């Protein structure tokens, strides 16, 4: 082999290593699509548009929001899972689509773990156990004591037994060894009206749905579902302070179809770090009841997802939830 042939052979060996880096450098050269399972105007939609607008400035390409609501996230998840794994279609997903659907459906037409690769966690949304200001219980230990003294006599409004709020409530009650009568509502404001009207004693709802009522003094927060107290409500204890290890939050995250080049995933992750570091992003998320997440690599997000699935598997077994 002469010198020229040797150099050509070295160049040929380097091509497979250079290709992913070259793809990441040239990506994106056309618009990027965010698939959402929620309708336009919903909380996730507003957040996705905020993040998409800022990414479009970085990328000098449009970020198109493709709303595919319905089927309890199944429609949107399928669209995203079947998209070409080239980095031009991303799935802006919630806890339900990527974790809890596995436990509430007997079968899913997509596999959250197999059909997607994690890109980055965007933010976490606390849930709050609350009562009307006139309710005698002042905190969670007081509530537990009253529930044990009056088994099955306290009614709690949620978004439904197989929704996040319903499962959080049932898991908390089971862990505490109490019985609460869960009353499902299709809209949070309806549950709050019944709470204020005395037809309910409790609600378990997203923080965003309760903030105005708590600030107005009509509703008292008894506990939050996060592992740590919320900076905006430092006086409100976590459930975990009474029931150690209890931690459940809703979240938003970005995923790519399985097979998307790792270099492209890393590029999107790095650009999301830049967007999430901007104060206006954190402020926008906070206004919608979501805590912005600090830097998180795709591998760290993958570990987070594994822990979430394990956490929910235990919770579902504890409450005896049956898939349909």
């Amino acid at each position: 082999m002469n010198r020229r042939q040797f150099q050509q052979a070295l160049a040929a060996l380097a091509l497979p290593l250079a290709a992913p880096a070259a793809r990441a450098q040239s990506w994106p050269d056309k618009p990027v699509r965010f698939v959402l399972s929620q309708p336009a105007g919903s909380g996730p939609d507003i957040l996705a548009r905020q993040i998409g607008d800022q990414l479009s400035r970085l990328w000098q390409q449009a970020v198109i929001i493709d709303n595919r609501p319905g089927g309890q996230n199944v429609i949107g998840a399928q669209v995203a899972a079947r998209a070409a794994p080239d980095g031009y279609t991303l799935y802006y997903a919630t806890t339900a689509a990527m974790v809890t659907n596995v436990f509430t459906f007997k079968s899913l037409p997509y596999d959250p773990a197999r059909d997607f690769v994690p890109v980055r966690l965007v933010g976490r949304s606390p849930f709050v156990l609350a009562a009307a200001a006139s309710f005698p219980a002042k905190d969670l230990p007081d509530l537990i004591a009253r529930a044990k003294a009056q088994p099955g006599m306290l009614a709690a409004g949620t978004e439904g037994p197989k929704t996040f709020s319903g499962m959080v409530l049932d898991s908390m009650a089971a862990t505490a060894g109490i019985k609460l009568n869960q009353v499902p509502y299709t809209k949070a404001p309806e549950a709050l009206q019944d709470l204020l009207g005395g037809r309910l004693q409790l609600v378990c709802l997203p923080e965003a749905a309760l903030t105005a009522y708590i600030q107005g003094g009509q509703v008292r927060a008894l506990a939050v579902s996060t592992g740590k107290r919320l900076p905006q409500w430092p006086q409100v204890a976590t459930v975990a302070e009474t029931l150690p290890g209890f931690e459940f939050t809703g979240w938003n995250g970005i995923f790519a179809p399985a097979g998307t080049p790792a270099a492209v995933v890393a590029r999107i992750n790095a650009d999301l770090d830049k967007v999430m570091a901007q104060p206006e992003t954190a402020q926008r998320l906070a206004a919608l009841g979501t805590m912005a997440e600090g830097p998180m690599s795709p591998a760290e997000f993958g570990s987070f997802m594994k822990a979430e699935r394990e956490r929910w598997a235990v919770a579902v077994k504890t409450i005896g939830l049956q898939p349909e």
Side-chain angles (χ1 to χ4, degrees), residues 112-192:
R114 185 191 63 215
D115 295 341
F116 295 94
V117 292
V119 178
R120 194 190 193 282
L121 184 65
V122 171
R124 311 188 200 210
S125 301
F127 278 68
V128 181
L129 180 68
S134 58
F135 188 66
K138 304 302 181 184
D139 53 27
L140 182 57
D142 191 2
L143 170 67
I144 292 172
R146 291 175 184 277
K148 287 182 176 179
Q150 309 171 59
M153 297 300 292
L154 300 179
T158 71
E159 296 164 307
K162 292 189 177 180
T163 66
F164 198 96
S165 63
M167 289 188 283
V168 167
L169 179 76
D170 281 346
S171 181
M172 184 207 68
T175 305
I178 60 175
K179 171 64 177 175
L180 299 175
N181 290 329
Q182 186 177 152
V183 182
Y185 289 82
T186 56
K187 297 179 181 179
E190 295 173 355
L192 285 163

Side-chain angles (χ1 to χ4, degrees), residues 208-294:
L210 290 163
T211 299
Y213 292 87
I214 293 172
Q215 291 175 340
Q218 300 159 286
V219 169
R220 179 189 303 115
L222 301 179
V224 295
S225 67
T226 47
K228 297 179 180 179
R229 294 193 181 197
L230 303 180
Q232 64 272 35
W233 298 339
Q235 76 282 8
V236 181
T238 65
V239 176
E241 290 176 50
T242 301
L243 306 173
F246 190 99
E247 180 182 357
F248 291 96
T249 59
W251 47 260
N252 294 257
I254 294 176
F255 297 79
T260 300
V264 173
V265 170
R267 165 74 188 279
I268 300 169
N269 177 274
D271 288 342
L272 282 166
D273 279 349
K274 297 173 185 175
V275 167
M276 298 303 297
Q278 297 175 9
E280 63 181 287
T281 303
Q283 291 167 6
R284 187 62 167 162
L285 266 66
L288 293 166
T290 300
M291 302 179 295
E293 190 69 24

Side-chain angles (χ1 to χ4, degrees), residues 37 68 70-79 91 97 101 105 108-110:
S37 300
R68 300 294 185 102
Q72 296 183 0
N73 298 281
V74 170
I75 294 173
Q78 281 187 283
V79 169
Y91 186 33
N101 271 3
F105 283 80
L108 280 175
Y110 68 96

Side-chain angles (χ1 to χ4, degrees), residues 1 3-16:
M1 180 182 289
R3 182 177 179 182
R4 175 174 292 180
Q5 289 172 321
F6 181 71
Q7 290 174 330
Q8 290 173 336
L10 284 177
L13 287 171
L15 280 174

